Amino acid sequence: MTELIADLDRLGVRPGETLLVQAALRSVGPVVDGAQGVVRALRGALGADGTLVVYTATPENSRTSSYYRAAVAGMTPAQLRRYHARMPAWDAAETPASPTMGRLAEEVRLLPGARRSGHPQTSFTAIGPRAEEITARHPWSSHLGEDSPAHRLYEAGARCLMIGVPVWCCTPLHLLEYWQPDREEQQYRCVVRTPDGRRSWRSFTGTRLHDEHFPEMGEVLAEGLADEIRTGPVGDARCHLMPIREAVDLADKWYRNRSS
């Protein structure tokens, strides 16, 4: 763990800051205690005054996610009914982060004192002095918009540490889609656990989110923020440390020019 803390310090992680971490932990290489050891190193680098944030999304309970569409492709009506009956109902306290988010996200969610936002599809979890502030409000209509933890990270001057993943994986970059004058709306549908323990299907309207432009956008960020993005190793992983506000602002400007 000491070696990982030293790597994080050299990369530029600062004690007391608010840090969103998105990770492919296999790229780090062997670590004592695995994902838990990486979490301890991150908290050690941030110190008692720092706040660690992860994305604990759950596309498995949604009938409108790309995960769902891929899973049900080619199913018969009978197979589809059985699949719907087995879909996990969202419960903020009990539902694990999706395995697609990486093991680090789930390990942070399980920490005593961690706070999770209440969105059944795009929750964030945080631990540290600013955890409640970041996660307290997350209306369903604002998956990754201005009333979500993504925007609070933007407002707080937080940075995103991408461990073994490219810069375009930074989830708050979706904020730019909420700022477009012609943004699309769609109906979302998911299954949730009610207070009395029943399953309930809920529908709501929100901005349609896209990610097909993200890889191209990553090239723009790498060039335009060359002086702001810190790149270096954490263990065996190639990592990027990027300011969220500057990244979203540049991505928004690029997206508007690209779309005009």
Side-chain angles (χ1 to χ4, degrees), residues 153-174:
L153 290 167
Y154 173 94
E155 291 182 316
R159 293 192 292 173
C160 183
L161 171 61
M162 290 144 285
I163 299 177
V165 296
V167 295
W168 57 261
C169 287
C170 178
T171 297
L173 290 168
H174 278 288

PDB file of all heavy atoms in Angstrom, residues 153-174:
ATOM      1  N   LEU A 153     -19.662  17.512  -8.446  1.00  0.00           N
ATOM      2  CA  LEU A 153     -18.218  17.327  -8.615  1.00  0.00           C
ATOM      3  C   LEU A 153     -17.641  18.436  -9.478  1.00  0.00           C
ATOM      4  O   LEU A 153     -16.562  18.965  -9.198  1.00  0.00           O
ATOM      5  CB  LEU A 153     -17.948  15.964  -9.245  1.00  0.00           C
ATOM      6  CG  LEU A 153     -18.221  14.744  -8.362  1.00  0.00           C
ATOM      7  CD1 LEU A 153     -18.211  13.469  -9.198  1.00  0.00           C
ATOM      8  CD2 LEU A 153     -17.221  14.652  -7.224  1.00  0.00           C
ATOM      9  N   TYR A 154     -18.359  18.795 -10.527  1.00  0.00           N
ATOM     10  CA  TYR A 154     -17.956  19.904 -11.402  1.00  0.00           C
ATOM     11  C   TYR A 154     -17.857  21.199 -10.598  1.00  0.00           C
ATOM     12  O   TYR A 154     -16.856  21.929 -10.675  1.00  0.00           O
ATOM     13  CB  TYR A 154     -18.982  20.023 -12.521  1.00  0.00           C
ATOM     14  CG  TYR A 154     -18.828  21.217 -13.442  1.00  0.00           C
ATOM     15  CD1 TYR A 154     -18.123  21.111 -14.637  1.00  0.00           C
ATOM     16  CD2 TYR A 154     -19.416  22.446 -13.131  1.00  0.00           C
ATOM     17  CE1 TYR A 154     -18.002  22.200 -15.500  1.00  0.00           C
ATOM     18  CE2 TYR A 154     -19.296  23.539 -13.980  1.00  0.00           C
ATOM     19  CZ  TYR A 154     -18.591  23.411 -15.162  1.00  0.00           C
ATOM     20  OH  TYR A 154     -18.482  24.493 -16.008  1.00  0.00           O
ATOM     21  N   GLU A 155     -18.883  21.497  -9.814  1.00  0.00           N
ATOM     22  CA  GLU A 155     -18.914  22.738  -9.029  1.00  0.00           C
ATOM     23  C   GLU A 155     -17.844  22.761  -7.950  1.00  0.00           C
ATOM     24  O   GLU A 155     -17.324  23.819  -7.602  1.00  0.00           O
ATOM     25  CB  GLU A 155     -20.289  22.916  -8.395  1.00  0.00           C
ATOM     26  CG  GLU A 155     -21.408  23.214  -9.382  1.00  0.00           C
ATOM     27  CD  GLU A 155     -22.734  23.418  -8.692  1.00  0.00           C
ATOM     28  OE1 GLU A 155     -23.052  22.615  -7.774  1.00  0.00           O
ATOM     29  OE2 GLU A 155     -23.448  24.370  -9.041  1.00  0.00           O
ATOM     30  N   ALA A 156     -17.525  21.600  -7.413  1.00  0.00           N
ATOM     31  CA  ALA A 156     -16.577  21.514  -6.296  1.00  0.00           C
ATOM     32  C   ALA A 156     -15.118  21.609  -6.740  1.00  0.00           C
ATOM     33  O   ALA A 156     -14.215  21.619  -5.902  1.00  0.00           O
ATOM     34  CB  ALA A 156     -16.795  20.208  -5.537  1.00  0.00           C
ATOM     35  N   GLY A 157     -14.876  21.668  -8.060  1.00  0.00           N
ATOM     36  CA  GLY A 157     -13.494  21.670  -8.534  1.00  0.00           C
ATOM     37  C   GLY A 157     -12.814  20.337  -8.335  1.00  0.00           C
ATOM     38  O   GLY A 157     -11.585  20.273  -8.178  1.00  0.00           O
ATOM     39  N   ALA A 158     -13.603  19.252  -8.349  1.00  0.00           N
ATOM     40  CA  ALA A 158     -13.046  17.913  -8.160  1.00  0.00           C
ATOM     41  C   ALA A 158     -12.243  17.490  -9.377  1.00  0.00           C
ATOM     42  O   ALA A 158     -12.354  18.059 -10.468  1.00  0.00           O
ATOM     43  CB  ALA A 158     -14.173  16.923  -7.902  1.00  0.00           C
ATOM     44  N   ARG A 159     -11.437  16.479  -9.190  1.00  0.00           N
ATOM     45  CA  ARG A 159     -10.693  15.884 -10.297  1.00  0.00           C
ATOM     46  C   ARG A 159     -11.106  14.422 -10.450  1.00  0.00           C
ATOM     47  O   ARG A 159     -11.680  13.818  -9.532  1.00  0.00           O
ATOM     48  CB  ARG A 159      -9.191  16.004 -10.064  1.00  0.00           C
ATOM     49  CG  ARG A 159      -8.721  17.452 -10.101  1.00  0.00           C
ATOM     50  CD  ARG A 159      -7.207  17.568 -10.156  1.00  0.00           C
ATOM     51  NE  ARG A 159      -6.571  17.125  -8.921  1.00  0.00           N
ATOM     52  CZ  ARG A 159      -5.250  17.010  -8.768  1.00  0.00           C
ATOM     53  NH1 ARG A 159      -4.435  17.296  -9.781  1.00  0.00           N
ATOM     54  NH2 ARG A 159      -4.743  16.625  -7.622  1.00  0.00           N
ATOM     55  N   CYS A 160     -10.826  13.875 -11.611  1.00  0.00           N
ATOM     56  CA  CYS A 160     -11.125  12.472 -11.892  1.00  0.00           C
ATOM     57  C   CYS A 160      -9.817  11.730 -12.103  1.00  0.00           C
ATOM     58  O   CYS A 160      -8.985  12.152 -12.918  1.00  0.00           O
ATOM     59  CB  CYS A 160     -12.027  12.354 -13.121  1.00  0.00           C
ATOM     60  SG  CYS A 160     -12.531  10.650 -13.499  1.00  0.00           S
ATOM     61  N   LEU A 161      -9.630  10.652 -11.364  1.00  0.00           N
ATOM     62  CA  LEU A 161      -8.475   9.773 -11.538  1.00  0.00           C
ATOM     63  C   LEU A 161      -8.937   8.534 -12.285  1.00  0.00           C
ATOM     64  O   LEU A 161      -9.803   7.794 -11.810  1.00  0.00           O
ATOM     65  CB  LEU A 161      -7.889   9.378 -10.178  1.00  0.00           C
ATOM     66  CG  LEU A 161      -6.801   8.292 -10.205  1.00  0.00           C
ATOM     67  CD1 LEU A 161      -5.594   8.744 -11.021  1.00  0.00           C
ATOM     68  CD2 LEU A 161      -6.396   7.914  -8.788  1.00  0.00           C
ATOM     69  N   MET A 162      -8.385   8.316 -13.458  1.00  0.00           N
ATOM     70  CA  MET A 162      -8.722   7.161 -14.285  1.00  0.00           C
ATOM     71  C   MET A 162      -7.572   6.174 -14.237  1.00  0.00           C
ATOM     72  O   MET A 162      -6.482   6.441 -14.756  1.00  0.00           O
ATOM     73  CB  MET A 162      -9.032   7.617 -15.709  1.00  0.00           C
ATOM     74  CG  MET A 162     -10.350   8.389 -15.787  1.00  0.00           C
ATOM     75  SD  MET A 162     -10.350   9.745 -16.985  1.00  0.00           S
ATOM     76  CE  MET A 162      -9.356  10.971 -16.128  1.00  0.00           C
ATOM     77  N   ILE A 163      -7.802   5.058 -13.550  1.00  0.00           N
ATOM     78  CA  ILE A 163      -6.769   4.048 -13.335  1.00  0.00           C
ATOM     79  C   ILE A 163      -6.913   2.968 -14.396  1.00  0.00           C
ATOM     80  O   ILE A 163      -7.853   2.174 -14.387  1.00  0.00           O
ATOM     81  CB  ILE A 163      -6.893   3.434 -11.930  1.00  0.00           C
ATOM     82  CG1 ILE A 163      -6.713   4.510 -10.846  1.00  0.00           C
ATOM     83  CG2 ILE A 163      -5.867   2.319 -11.740  1.00  0.00           C
ATOM     84  CD1 ILE A 163      -6.899   4.001  -9.431  1.00  0.00           C
ATOM     85  N   GLY A 164      -5.979   2.981 -15.349  1.00  0.00           N
ATOM     86  CA  GLY A 164      -6.000   1.965 -16.387  1.00  0.00           C
ATOM     87  C   GLY A 164      -7.114   2.118 -17.403  1.00  0.00           C
ATOM     88  O   GLY A 164      -7.400   1.183 -18.148  1.00  0.00           O
ATOM     89  N   VAL A 165      -7.751   3.289 -17.447  1.00  0.00           N
ATOM     90  CA  VAL A 165      -8.800   3.562 -18.440  1.00  0.00           C
ATOM     91  C   VAL A 165      -8.518   4.920 -19.083  1.00  0.00           C
ATOM     92  O   VAL A 165      -7.865   5.773 -18.489  1.00  0.00           O
ATOM     93  CB  VAL A 165     -10.218   3.547 -17.808  1.00  0.00           C
ATOM     94  CG1 VAL A 165     -10.551   2.158 -17.286  1.00  0.00           C
ATOM     95  CG2 VAL A 165     -10.338   4.579 -16.696  1.00  0.00           C
ATOM     96  N   PRO A 166      -9.016   5.154 -20.305  1.00  0.00           N
ATOM     97  CA  PRO A 166      -8.722   6.413 -21.000  1.00  0.00           C
ATOM     98  C   PRO A 166      -9.492   7.596 -20.422  1.00  0.00           C
ATOM     99  O   PRO A 166     -10.480   7.427 -19.692  1.00  0.00           O
ATOM    100  CB  PRO A 166      -9.158   6.119 -22.442  1.00  0.00           C
ATOM    101  CG  PRO A 166     -10.147   5.011 -22.333  1.00  0.00           C
ATOM    102  CD  PRO A 166      -9.725   4.181 -21.161  1.00  0.00           C
ATOM    103  N   VAL A 167      -9.074   8.802 -20.778  1.00  0.00           N
ATOM    104  CA  VAL A 167      -9.672  10.008 -20.207  1.00  0.00           C
ATOM    105  C   VAL A 167     -11.145  10.144 -20.549  1.00  0.00           C
ATOM    106  O   VAL A 167     -11.921  10.737 -19.784  1.00  0.00           O
ATOM    107  CB  VAL A 167      -8.902  11.278 -20.642  1.00  0.00           C
ATOM    108  CG1 VAL A 167      -7.501  11.266 -20.083  1.00  0.00           C
ATOM    109  CG2 VAL A 167      -8.884  11.433 -22.151  1.00  0.00           C
ATOM    110  N   TRP A 168     -11.572   9.603 -21.695  1.00  0.00           N
ATOM    111  CA  TRP A 168     -12.982   9.778 -22.061  1.00  0.00           C
ATOM    112  C   TRP A 168     -13.932   8.949 -21.205  1.00  0.00           C
ATOM    113  O   TRP A 168     -15.161   9.090 -21.301  1.00  0.00           O
ATOM    114  CB  TRP A 168     -13.197   9.490 -23.550  1.00  0.00           C
ATOM    115  CG  TRP A 168     -12.791   8.136 -24.066  1.00  0.00           C
ATOM    116  CD1 TRP A 168     -11.635   7.840 -24.715  1.00  0.00           C
ATOM    117  CD2 TRP A 168     -13.544   6.919 -24.015  1.00  0.00           C
ATOM    118  NE1 TRP A 168     -11.613   6.509 -25.072  1.00  0.00           N
ATOM    119  CE2 TRP A 168     -12.773   5.923 -24.661  1.00  0.00           C
ATOM    120  CE3 TRP A 168     -14.795   6.581 -23.502  1.00  0.00           C
ATOM    121  CZ2 TRP A 168     -13.218   4.601 -24.783  1.00  0.00           C
ATOM    122  CZ3 TRP A 168     -15.232   5.265 -23.619  1.00  0.00           C
ATOM    123  CH2 TRP A 168     -14.448   4.302 -24.248  1.00  0.00           C
ATOM    124  N   CYS A 169     -13.402   8.101 -20.336  1.00  0.00           N
ATOM    125  CA  CYS A 169     -14.254   7.322 -19.425  1.00  0.00           C
ATOM    126  C   CYS A 169     -14.790   8.155 -18.262  1.00  0.00           C
ATOM    127  O   CYS A 169     -15.604   7.655 -17.477  1.00  0.00           O
ATOM    128  CB  CYS A 169     -13.477   6.125 -18.882  1.00  0.00           C
ATOM    129  SG  CYS A 169     -13.216   4.819 -20.112  1.00  0.00           S
ATOM    130  N   CYS A 170     -14.350   9.383 -18.130  1.00  0.00           N
ATOM    131  CA  CYS A 170     -14.792  10.249 -17.021  1.00  0.00           C
ATOM    132  C   CYS A 170     -16.296  10.514 -17.136  1.00  0.00           C
ATOM    133  O   CYS A 170     -16.749  11.253 -18.014  1.00  0.00           O
ATOM    134  CB  CYS A 170     -14.001  11.558 -17.051  1.00  0.00           C
ATOM    135  SG  CYS A 170     -14.470  12.752 -15.788  1.00  0.00           S
ATOM    136  N   THR A 171     -17.091   9.949 -16.255  1.00  0.00           N
ATOM    137  CA  THR A 171     -18.556   9.996 -16.355  1.00  0.00           C
ATOM    138  C   THR A 171     -19.139  11.401 -16.352  1.00  0.00           C
ATOM    139  O   THR A 171     -20.096  11.666 -17.087  1.00  0.00           O
ATOM    140  CB  THR A 171     -19.171   9.148 -15.221  1.00  0.00           C
ATOM    141  OG1 THR A 171     -18.778   7.783 -15.406  1.00  0.00           O
ATOM    142  CG2 THR A 171     -20.690   9.229 -15.224  1.00  0.00           C
ATOM    143  N   PRO A 172     -18.648  12.369 -15.563  1.00  0.00           N
ATOM    144  CA  PRO A 172     -19.233  13.715 -15.605  1.00  0.00           C
ATOM    145  C   PRO A 172     -19.170  14.401 -16.963  1.00  0.00           C
ATOM    146  O   PRO A 172     -19.826  15.438 -17.153  1.00  0.00           O
ATOM    147  CB  PRO A 172     -18.413  14.479 -14.556  1.00  0.00           C
ATOM    148  CG  PRO A 172     -18.018  13.428 -13.573  1.00  0.00           C
ATOM    149  CD  PRO A 172     -17.713  12.234 -14.427  1.00  0.00           C
ATOM    150  N   LEU A 173     -18.420  13.853 -17.918  1.00  0.00           N
ATOM    151  CA  LEU A 173     -18.422  14.430 -19.257  1.00  0.00           C
ATOM    152  C   LEU A 173     -19.819  14.396 -19.878  1.00  0.00           C
ATOM    153  O   LEU A 173     -20.108  15.169 -20.796  1.00  0.00           O
ATOM    154  CB  LEU A 173     -17.427  13.695 -20.156  1.00  0.00           C
ATOM    155  CG  LEU A 173     -15.945  13.924 -19.842  1.00  0.00           C
ATOM    156  CD1 LEU A 173     -15.073  12.931 -20.602  1.00  0.00           C
ATOM    157  CD2 LEU A 173     -15.532  15.357 -20.173  1.00  0.00           C
ATOM    158  N   HIS A 174     -20.691  13.552 -19.373  1.00  0.00           N
ATOM    159  CA  HIS A 174     -22.072  13.515 -19.866  1.00  0.00           C
ATOM    160  C   HIS A 174     -22.818  14.822 -19.567  1.00  0.00           C
ATOM    161  O   HIS A 174     -23.873  15.075 -20.164  1.00  0.00           O
ATOM    162  CB  HIS A 174     -22.833  12.352 -19.244  1.00  0.00           C
ATOM    163  CG  HIS A 174     -22.595  11.042 -19.928  1.00  0.00           C
ATOM    164  ND1 HIS A 174     -23.099  10.743 -21.172  1.00  0.00           N
ATOM    165  CD2 HIS A 174     -21.907   9.931 -19.522  1.00  0.00           C
ATOM    166  CE1 HIS A 174     -22.749   9.513 -21.516  1.00  0.00           C
ATOM    167  NE2 HIS A 174     -22.017   8.999 -20.545  1.00  0.00           N
TER     168      HIS A 174
END
